[in-house]
Amino acid sequence: MGEFRVPKSHPRYWSLYYRHKIEEAMEKGILAKAGPIAHGRGEAFDYLIGEKTIEPAERAMRAAVAKLLLAKHPVLSVNGNVAALVPKETIELAKALNSKLEINLFYRTEERVRAIEEELRKYDPDIELLGINPTRRIPGLEHERGKVDEEGIWKADVVVVPLEDGDRTEALVAMGKFVITIDLNPLSRSARMADITVVDNIIRAYPRMTELAREMKDHSREELLKIVEGYDNGKTLGDVLTHMKNRLEELAKEGIWRRAEL
Ligand code: PTJ
């Protein structure tokens, strides 16, 4: 496997670093063929928000963590892109939230499930992983795309489905699940269908959600409920679009030509 040789001084170091992670994951059989396409789309939207966590995302993360701490049976879903980018951070977040982890794939093959399991076990060999032998089906989705674990997503009251296809998000909402997604594209179907949408790069969002979970775990039920009830996903998505519009307008006014710091 090729080594990552780009010097840290490169202005796009982190972008190239995560691309390398995507390439490596492809070689290890973790990623779906469509994985790099999804990654590229994410990168494009990250440019538009300014490659940082914006206030509407922080607001969504706070509500998401509150809801997950209140949940009876929270589940974090793991797909190929998530295992490629944030394997360790996913395990840390699951532990901070006391949540189950389920490998759940849009393009499911048993080889990919095994490759993802192997990747996650590098960071914790004893971690409980669901989704290896799923026995249930999400109603309305055909065979491979709909498989879920009886003890995981099937039973869950709150599910986090990051970097997810919109059709599946909608099917989970129709099953009565409270659905949280992480998606850099605020216009995607997933972003529009979920109960809470965190428009941020999962690379920034998961570590921040872990911090929030540790900070908020001693909050009372009432405090957590107040955060969830005061949250409005429609407003959050609108605020993300306004952020993008304002940012582009400001850049257009100030000029971007030969501005190296952007
Ligand atoms: O591993 P599998 O088989 O479950 O397949 C995973 C992919 C991602 C290929 C599959 O779920 C898929 O096709 O998803 P979509 O419909 O391309 O949606 C993925 C969404 O994630 C897009 O809206 C991207 O903008 C967004 N995205 C990509 N990378 C990131 C991201 N959002 C947050 N952080 C990222 N790093």
Side-chain angles (χ1 to χ4, degrees):
M1 208 160 296
E3 224 182 292
F4 183 59
R5 290 177 179 279
V6 175
K8 262 214 154 136
S9 56
H10 189 288
R12 299 292 306 160
Y13 176 83
W14 287 110
S15 168
L16 295 170
Y17 173 81
Y18 285 109
R19 278 190 184 189
H20 183 74
K21 291 259 159 225
I22 291 284
E23 283 170 23
E24 263 184 352
M26 193 54 124
E27 286 173 32
K28 288 187 210 161
I30 289 171
L31 218 63
K33 280 190 190 133
I37 302 171
H39 184 76
R41 182 183 291 172
E43 281 190 317
F45 278 97
D46 212 6
Y47 261 81
L48 295 178
I49 64 171
E51 296 178 309
K52 62 176 185 352
T53 300
I54 58 176
E55 187 280 328
E58 173 72 18
R59 199 193 312 155
M61 285 194 273
R62 203 168 271 282
V65 168
K67 185 71 191 179
L68 285 157
L69 289 172
L70 285 166
K72 281 202 188 73
H73 195 82
V75 174
L76 303 188
S77 181
V78 184
N79 68 13
N81 286 56
V82 173
L85 297 172
V86 284
K88 179 167 153 272
E89 293 78 1
T90 298
I91 293 173
E92 281 168 359
L93 179 60
K95 285 183 180 167
L97 290 166
N98 217 351
S99 160
K100 304 257 183 220
L101 278 177
E102 174 165 343
I103 301 173
N104 193 273
L105 306 181
F106 183 77
Y107 300 103
R108 185 183 173 97
T109 66
E110 299 317 308
E111 294 70 31
R112 287 189 57 223
V113 172
R114 269 194 298 279
I116 293 170
E117 178 184 8
E118 196 181 308
E119 183 66 17
L120 293 172
R121 293 211 187 280
K122 277 187 200 156
Y123 298 93
D124 183 347
D126 304 318
I127 190 84
E128 185 193 4
L129 288 174
L130 300 171
I132 314 280
N133 294 303
T135 56
R136 295 286 189 164
R137 284 259 304 279
I138 305 174
L141 295 182
E142 98 289 343
H143 201 55
E144 293 305 312
R145 258 172 11 111
K147 285 184 172 175
V148 287
D149 199 300
E150 166 120 43
E151 293 307 310
I153 292 176
W154 183 258
K155 221 164 97 176
D157 50 351
V158 183
V159 209
V160 185
V161 280
L163 286 57
E164 179 61 281
D165 164 79
D167 187 36
R168 296 208 320 165
T169 305
E170 205 175 348
L172 290 169
V173 172
M175 275 177 90
K177 312 290 179 196
F178 189 99
V179 177
I180 298 165
T181 193
I182 321 291
D183 194 329
L184 275 162
N185 177 5
L187 300 170
S188 78
R189 240 185 119 69
S190 279
R192 290 180 285 120
M193 293 302 157
D195 293 288
I196 297 181
T197 308
V198 176
V199 183
D200 201 5
N201 198 322
I202 196 166
I203 288 152
R204 296 185 295 269
Y206 266 18
R208 177 63 188 142
M209 285 171 74
T210 302
E211 253 175 41
L212 285 170
R214 288 177 185 149
E215 198 182 298
M216 290 161 67
K217 74 173 191 321
D218 297 324
H219 280 21
S220 68
R221 253 189 91 74
E222 289 64 38
E223 276 175 284
L224 295 173
L225 273 171
K226 214 171 128 197
I227 296 172
V228 176
E229 280 159 13
Y231 179 78
D232 179 344
N233 207 42
K235 166 125 183 30
T236 299
L237 288 173
D239 289 348
V240 171
L241 293 178
T242 304
H243 166 86
M244 286 178 176
K245 171 188 152 285
N246 290 344
R247 179 160 187 274
L248 292 178
E249 264 175 16
E250 275 159 33
L251 289 174
K253 240 184 266 156
E254 289 164 10
I256 56 166
W257 192 51
R258 293 202 171 153
R259 270 181 63 192
E261 80 279 10
L262 289 177

